[in-house]
Amino acid sequence: MPALVCVARIGAAHGVRGAVKLWTFTEDPFAVRRYGPLVTKDGKRQFEVAQAREAKDHLVATFKGVTTRDEAERLNGIELYVAREKLPATDEDEYYHTDLIGLPAVTTTGEALGRVIAIHNFGAGDIIEIAPPKGTTLLLPFSNAVVPEVDLAGGRVVIALPQEIEGEDQGDDLSPSRPGEGRDP
């Protein structure tokens, strides 16, 4: 089976004629219509977008063969995938998450750090998550300063570990505070 990339997730039913909320993960939300049939991760089911219109932060879409609210409700939560080769080429310094996940991560001196297990974005920029052979995972900014090299052909990600950031000097009062008990300035 070819490498698959998740491009959308079906949400709740919308209306009574089989429409659903469709959350897309593509730069152009309507791109999901150009990829042809979308498949589930196991490849056992496929869906073709019949119609789609823009809503506040998602699409309202219908799929061929889904005509009732009951049928649409049963689709809630299904993730839709497309073969990697159907996606457009990326620009320089742009990557699909699927291309990065699983790559070994090494320091700028070649020391092994672990493997890339995820790319996150919690609203303040992308974060690369690396699982070392032992211990807790590393969460680092996915920036050119911290990730100076992504070598897809060589199969590795180079990490320039940032220096520890010092906190503000709080003076001599080192007494701990408890949650809900702020210190007076």
Side-chain angles (χ1 to χ4, degrees):
M1 177 180 271
L4 297 176
V5 177
C6 183
V7 293
R9 181 178 41 81
I10 301 172
H14 182 88
V16 295
R17 295 194 175 116
V20 296
K21 293 180 178 180
L22 186 64
W23 306 95
T24 62
F25 310 127
T26 55
E27 186 174 11
D28 171 14
F30 292 98
V32 295
R33 295 190 68 190
R34 294 191 295 269
Y35 298 136
L38 307 171
V39 297
T40 54
K41 190 170 191 170
D42 62 8
K44 292 182 179 177
R45 296 176 70 186
Q46 71 177 20
F47 299 87
E48 191 169 343
V49 178
Q51 295 180 356
R53 66 178 170 81
E54 204 165 4
K56 185 177 180 179
D57 56 355
H58 59 279
L59 297 179
V60 174
T62 56
F63 295 106
K64 290 183 179 178
V66 178
T67 58
T68 68
R69 181 176 181 87
D70 287 341
E71 291 171 328
E73 285 176 345
R74 287 193 291 273
L75 303 178
N76 192 359
I78 293 177
E79 291 182 332
L80 301 174
Y81 293 78
V82 66
R84 169 65 176 89
E85 61 268 8
K86 287 186 177 184
L87 297 174
T90 58
D91 290 334
E92 187 177 331
D93 289 338
E94 282 187 338
Y95 310 96
Y96 288 112
H97 292 190
T98 192
D99 293 339
L100 301 174
I101 295 171
L103 289 181
V106 298
T107 65
T108 54
T109 60
E111 181 184 340
L113 286 175
R115 290 207 173 272
V116 177
I117 59 170
I119 307 294
H120 304 284
N121 189 316
F122 302 112
D126 289 333
I127 295 173
I128 188 167
E129 184 173 2
I130 300 168
K134 292 182 183 176
T136 59
T137 60
L138 301 170
L139 295 173
L140 301 167
F142 190 60
S143 65
N144 288 334
V146 177
V147 186
E149 182 183 351
V150 174
D151 182 4
L152 293 177
R156 70 182 192 149
V157 175
V158 177
I159 305 293
L161 290 171
Q163 299 298 315
E164 185 173 347
I165 299 171
E166 301 273 339
E168 284 186 33
D169 186 3
Q170 295 291 325
D172 292 326
D173 182 10
L174 299 178
S175 60
S177 60
R178 293 189 180 118
E181 292 182 358
R183 293 186 187 173
D184 291 330

